[in-house]
Amino acid sequence: MLDPIVNFFTRIFQWIGRGIGLAIGVILWPFMWAGRWYTQRGWILKAVLGTAIVILVGLYTYFFWNTQYWKNFNPAYADAYTFAPPAGSGEQVTDEGAEGQVKTCTRSGIVTVAADLIDFNVNQNAWISSMILYKLGLFGVDWDHTPFLDNKAAFQRGVHQAVRRTAVELVDTIGRVRGTSQIDQNLQDARGAVEFDEETWYFGLRPFGPKTPSPSFYRTGITSLRTFNDRLLKCEVVFNARADNLAKFVDRIASDIGSTSDILSRQSQTNNNGWFDTRADDRFWFAYGQLYGYYGILKATRTDFKAVIDTRGLGPLWDQLDQQFQAALKIRPLIISNGREDGWIMPSHLTTMGFYMLRVRSNLVEVRSVLDR
């Protein structure tokens, strides 16, 4: 009685095996045809094509390795900073009472973290967004529109967004003396460098060929920021750690995070295709990178604006802010899913990340309201 059932399942597995074999044959056929064509060519053409193939394989190997290896990635990186002034630095401040301090003769933690985040993006890791194979995409399709090899690039752009926003505020408010229009040149140079487009390419004659200047510009931003900090330590410039500047800085960060949260919300509502939403992963990792960057920057802000935070009683709020960042940065799913909020099979990672971003933003808004009183 079991023979018909056994025969039935045997035939099913045979059909499955033939189907798999056919699919593999279809995939391998172009390569087999190319191999036969290659063996029939002359040695000069073989040498040229062989060299091109070796270069292409090398480029893809390098590209794949850099997209998968996240060197020195550490969601708790901000805890390693102490922000203590160097021995014998002799910090000097111009006391402004409850409104804060104009500080000099000491390094800024915000500037330190911003420079270190750029270093993390372009020196400790390769800048993915301007790599030639990232620019070429997957058979002409932008990598951001595929589920492959774009997570690190999106994360780096998120981190860099936090650095860009910080550089703007350093130039416009924090690095100026109140009542003057003078802009510090190092901070201005840093802002110009980090605002350079992350994907720009150009062709040059010396040397000839395509070039991607983005990482080079960002490296000059590191130099400019660290030069400002060195000058600050030498008492040559000031850091305006006043309450009104902190209020503006916090407000700008809250707006920046709110904009990203809105992008996550729109993506979640209009493209909730679960694991098949090809944009969900880069949206998620951009938001994650942005929080990653702001976590360290706001950790440093607590030190740079210590007088204001202590005077206004913002310590508990800042502790809560730290906890919210830590909770958000613990979310690291292997595969990003943009499912329905009431779905039970495919999770909604974008909604979850959006929720944590709004918690951070809400806390920042509360900090701003205390500063406005």
Side-chain angles (χ1 to χ4, degrees):
M1 293 181 61
L2 295 177
D3 288 346
I5 298 176
V6 172
N7 291 335
F8 173 74
F9 281 104
T10 300
R11 286 196 296 270
I12 288 179
F13 286 121
Q14 287 176 345
W15 293 335
I16 293 175
R18 290 172 183 171
I20 294 174
L22 179 62
I24 294 175
V26 170
I27 294 172
L28 293 180
W29 180 82
F31 298 98
M32 296 173 65
W33 177 86
R36 289 193 298 269
W37 180 87
Y38 180 77
T39 58
Q40 297 171 3
R41 303 303 102 184
W43 69 270
I44 296 179
L45 184 57
K46 284 183 179 180
V48 173
L49 290 177
T51 301
I53 292 171
V54 169
I55 292 174
L56 188 62
V57 170
L59 285 173
Y60 268 103
T61 301
Y62 177 77
F63 175 64
F64 179 81
W65 169 254
N66 279 288
T67 58
Q68 301 308 301
Y69 178 55
W70 299 32
K71 185 177 181 181
N72 293 331
F73 170 80
N74 177 17
Y77 75 99
D79 297 338
Y81 287 100
T82 59
F83 302 115
S89 63
E91 177 181 1
Q92 298 177 10
V93 299
T94 301
D95 196 353
E96 300 286 351
E99 292 303 310
Q101 302 168 323
V102 177
K103 304 168 66 174
T104 188
C105 304
T106 183
R107 287 192 174 94
S108 160
I110 294 175
V111 174
T112 297
V113 173
D116 288 350
L117 286 171
I118 303 173
D119 182 73
F120 167 70
N121 262 346
V122 299
N123 290 331
Q124 299 173 37
N125 292 275
W127 181 255
I128 305 297
S129 294
S130 60
M131 282 187 172
I132 184 170
L133 293 181
Y134 195 85
K135 295 286 290 181
L136 290 175
L138 180 65
F139 299 105
V141 178
D142 193 322
W143 284 108
D144 286 342
H145 293 278
T146 75
F148 313 109
L149 306 183
D150 60 345
N151 291 351
K152 185 177 178 181
F155 167 78
Q156 288 180 316
R157 292 196 295 266
V159 173
H160 198 70
Q161 174 61 23
V163 173
R164 277 178 172 154
R165 180 74 267 166
T166 301
V168 170
E169 296 310 311
L170 284 170
V171 172
D172 291 345
T173 56
I174 302 174
R176 292 193 191 193
V177 177
R178 192 177 186 185
T180 71
S181 59
Q182 183 178 359
I183 298 175
D184 183 83
Q185 190 59 49
N186 288 131
L187 294 180
Q188 177 76 344
D189 291 344
R191 179 174 70 173
V194 301
E195 286 184 334
F196 195 84
D197 184 76
E198 61 264 17
E199 297 180 349
T200 296
W201 274 67
Y202 72 96
F203 281 80
L205 297 178
R206 292 186 296 179
F208 178 77
K211 300 171 182 63
T212 169
S214 302
S216 299
F217 271 81
Y218 300 158
R219 291 185 184 102
T220 65
I222 299 173
T223 302
S224 297
L225 288 171
R226 289 176 175 167
T227 300
F228 172 83
N229 247 355
D230 291 341
R231 292 172 59 223
L232 187 58
L233 183 63
K234 296 175 183 177
C235 316
E236 296 176 359
V237 291
V238 298
F239 184 92
N240 202 343
R242 292 174 50 87
D244 52 349
N245 287 343
L246 177 59
K248 290 177 184 177
F249 189 39
V250 167
D251 185 58
R252 299 297 192 278
I253 294 176
S255 297
D256 200 22
I257 290 175
S259 297
T260 302
S261 177
D262 186 57
I263 292 173
L264 293 180
S265 178
R266 290 200 305 269
Q267 185 72 21
S268 177
Q269 293 172 7
T270 60
N271 298 278
N272 50 7
N273 300 317
W275 293 306
F276 304 102
D277 180 2
T278 59
R279 293 306 307 272
D281 55 345
D282 54 280
R283 301 292 195 205
F284 177 93
W285 283 108
F286 178 89
Y288 189 99
Q290 193 176 25
L291 290 180
Y292 186 99
Y294 278 135
Y295 178 41
I297 288 168
L298 286 171
K299 196 91 168 179
T301 301
R302 185 169 190 172
T303 300
D304 285 350
F305 288 85
K306 185 177 185 302
V308 175
I309 292 171
D310 290 346
T311 302
R312 300 297 180 91
L314 289 170
L317 273 178
W318 224 275
D319 290 337
Q320 185 178 348
L321 185 63
D322 279 350
Q323 293 169 6
Q324 290 167 353
F325 271 110
Q326 291 166 9
L329 295 176
K330 287 179 181 178
I331 307 172
R332 299 194 298 276
L334 181 62
I335 301 176
I336 308 300
S337 172
N338 181 22
R340 293 173 57 90
E341 294 181 17
D342 58 353
W344 61 279
I345 295 179
M346 298 181 183
S348 180
H349 293 128
L350 296 191
T351 301
T352 303
M353 178 55 72
F355 167 74
Y356 279 101
M357 295 196 82
L358 287 177
R359 286 181 64 191
V360 171
R361 182 181 182 276
S362 176
N363 197 258
L364 290 170
V365 170
E366 191 170 356
V367 169
R368 172 62 194 264
S369 68
V370 172
L371 290 168
D372 284 341
R373 290 172 192 168

